[in-house]
């Protein structure tokens, strides 16, 4: 998952150049490479599959309408996540929703099917479910930070540019996000142990 | 849970996050998005070659005229100012 920064970037730049020239096959290749990554990012950001699909389509349409120039060392993912994140923020603003409170809605949307018990008894699938729920419950500022760096594999510098933060501010926020997530993951276990 | 245990958990968080499987876009949605994008590409790249050159030429000419006339007016104004100062 974190391979977006690897040697494939040169090939990706070539694909982007071809896309800018109107090559449909190049679009197909980039779409195949990023469609699930982008959808996952948007789903985890918004917590709503229908909205994630809608925003996903808008991002891809923007790519074909105004494809970015390839930049050395910068994967297309950085551009896609930036556009996706800005669209999501615009969506929240258009609905007069407070981005700092979206965690409540996201957590509610992702909660079904997850009934966390003691960590020792959880299967891997359930653990991932808990992780998703805990991630969804983080405030947007911390969630997007983790999604960009830990899940999508962008560098701190790339994530800082997308989030319009300085590198030290990003590191601080990332550290806080990890701590918050860890606390949320620890809570069910603690509760379960106390109940025994 | 102690503070140390919390810290240990925090250090594992990124590993767990990185191991999360991707959520898959529904095949129907994926096909719809791809079709919409390809249709947009076809419109964009079939339309542009026919119109882009003449349009760019016209824009270039208009820009050159604006800049050129601006330069001429500025030169004329300077000449008049120098001439006026000379007469005074």
């Amino acid at each position: 998952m974190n391979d977006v920064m690897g040697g494939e970037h040169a090939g990706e730049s070539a694909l982007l150049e071809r896309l800018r020239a109107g090559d449909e096959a190049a679009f197909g290749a980039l779409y195949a490479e990023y469609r699930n990554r982008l959808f996952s990012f948007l789903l985890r950001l918004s917590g709503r599959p229908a909205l994630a699909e809608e925003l996903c389509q808008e991002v891809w349409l923007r790519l074909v309408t105004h494809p970015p120039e390839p930049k050395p060392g910068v994967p297309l993912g950085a551009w896609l996540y930036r556009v996706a994140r800005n669209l999501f923020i615009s969506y929240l603003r258009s609905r007069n929703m407070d981005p700092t409170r979206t965690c409540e809605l996201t957590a509610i949307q992702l909660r079904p099917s997850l009934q966390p018990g003691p960590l020792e008894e959880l299967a891997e699938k359930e653990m991932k479910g808990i992780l998703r729920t805990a991630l969804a419950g983080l405030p947007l500022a911390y969630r997007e930070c983790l999604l960009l760096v830990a899940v999508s594999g962008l560098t701190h510098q790339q994530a800082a540019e997308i989030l319009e933060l300085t590198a030290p501010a990003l590191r601080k926020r990332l550290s806080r996000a990890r701590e918050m997530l860890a606390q949320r993951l620890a809570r069910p276990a603690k509760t379960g142990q106390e109940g025994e | 849970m102690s503070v140390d245990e919390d810290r240990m958990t925090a250090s594992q968080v990124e590993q767990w996050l990185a191991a999360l499987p991707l959520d898959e876009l529904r095949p129907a949605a994926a096909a719809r998005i791809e079709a919409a994008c390809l249709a947009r590409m076809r419109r964009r790249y079939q339309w542009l070659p026919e119109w882009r050159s003449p349009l760019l030429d016209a824009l270039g000419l208009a820009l050159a005229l604006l800049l050129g006339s601006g330069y001429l007016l500025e030169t004329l104004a300077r000449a008049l100012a120098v001439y006026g100062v000379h007469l005074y």
Side-chain angles (χ1 to χ4, degrees):
Chain A
M1 195 181 305
N2 293 349
D3 56 352
V4 287
M5 250 67 61
E8 69 188 56
H9 180 60
E12 193 178 285
S13 295
L15 285 173
L16 197 51
E17 283 292 1
R18 283 169 51 198
L19 172 69
R20 288 166 60 82
D23 186 339
E24 292 181 10
F27 168 77
L30 290 170
Y31 184 63
E33 179 66 29
Y34 278 103
R35 72 179 182 196
N36 286 335
R37 292 183 193 181
L38 184 64
F39 176 69
S40 292
F41 174 73
L42 278 166
L43 180 60
R44 289 163 189 173
L45 202 61
S46 69
R48 280 162 283 181
L51 176 62
E53 281 182 14
E54 191 182 321
L55 294 177
C56 217
Q57 173 161 335
E58 187 56 34
V59 175
W60 287 110
L61 284 172
R62 289 193 182 198
L63 177 72
V64 297
T65 311
H66 304 290
E69 286 184 22
K71 291 180 186 171
V74 181
L76 176 64
W79 186 89
L80 292 171
Y81 298 134
R82 180 201 303 269
V83 174
R85 185 240 178 197
N86 289 345
L87 283 171
F88 178 60
I89 300 286
S90 298
Y91 169 83
L92 293 179
R93 287 182 181 149
S94 72
R95 300 293 175 102
N96 288 325
M97 292 169 79
D98 182 357
T100 60
R101 294 180 64 86
T102 55
C103 54
E104 294 164 15
L105 182 62
T106 313
I108 290 166
Q109 295 281 334
L110 292 180
R111 199 177 295 279
S113 82
L114 304 175
Q115 294 294 330
L119 280 179
E120 295 80 5
E121 296 175 10
L122 290 176
E124 189 182 349
K125 189 179 175 183
E126 286 175 302
M127 183 58 212
K128 285 172 180 167
I130 288 176
L131 186 54
R132 283 176 204 269
T133 307
L135 185 62
L138 290 182
L140 179 62
Y142 297 102
R143 189 165 73 243
E144 62 185 8
C145 201
L146 277 177
L147 285 175
L148 288 172
V149 176
V151 181
S152 303
L154 298 187
T155 62
H156 286 195
Q157 183 61 37
Q158 288 161 353
E161 283 173 15
I162 291 173
L163 300 174
E164 297 172 355
L165 293 171
T166 60
L170 176 91
R171 277 196 294 275
K172 195 174 173 183
R173 191 178 288 185
L174 198 55
S175 170
R176 178 77 185 119
R178 286 191 201 106
E179 283 175 20
M180 288 171 77
L181 190 61
Q183 283 168 5
R184 282 164 189 271
L185 289 171
R187 228 173 269 157
K190 187 180 177 183
T191 309
Q193 285 161 357
E194 281 171 357
E196 285 173 355
Chain B
M1 179 168 283
S2 70
V3 174
D4 285 343
E5 281 174 304
D6 268 351
R7 281 180 187 153
M8 282 177 66
T9 314
S11 70
Q12 294 168 341
V13 162
E14 279 202 26
Q15 288 176 1
W16 292 342
L17 286 173
L20 269 182
L22 290 176
D23 297 287
E24 292 205 3
L25 193 57
R26 287 184 306 116
R32 174 172 51 80
I33 293 171
E34 186 169 19
C37 290
L38 289 176
R40 177 76 61 93
M41 278 183 80
R42 281 170 200 145
R43 278 203 302 278
R44 176 179 162 81
Y45 291 99
Q46 283 171 5
W47 180 83
L48 269 178
E50 293 176 13
W51 294 94
R52 186 164 55 186
S53 295
L55 192 66
L56 285 179
D57 288 345
L59 283 173
L61 187 62
L63 191 63
L65 282 173
L66 278 173
L67 290 174
S69 57
Y71 177 74
L72 282 176
L73 283 174
E74 186 188 349
T75 309
L76 187 61
R78 280 172 189 269
L80 286 172
V82 169
Y83 186 58
V85 169
H86 176 69
L87 284 180
Y88 183 75

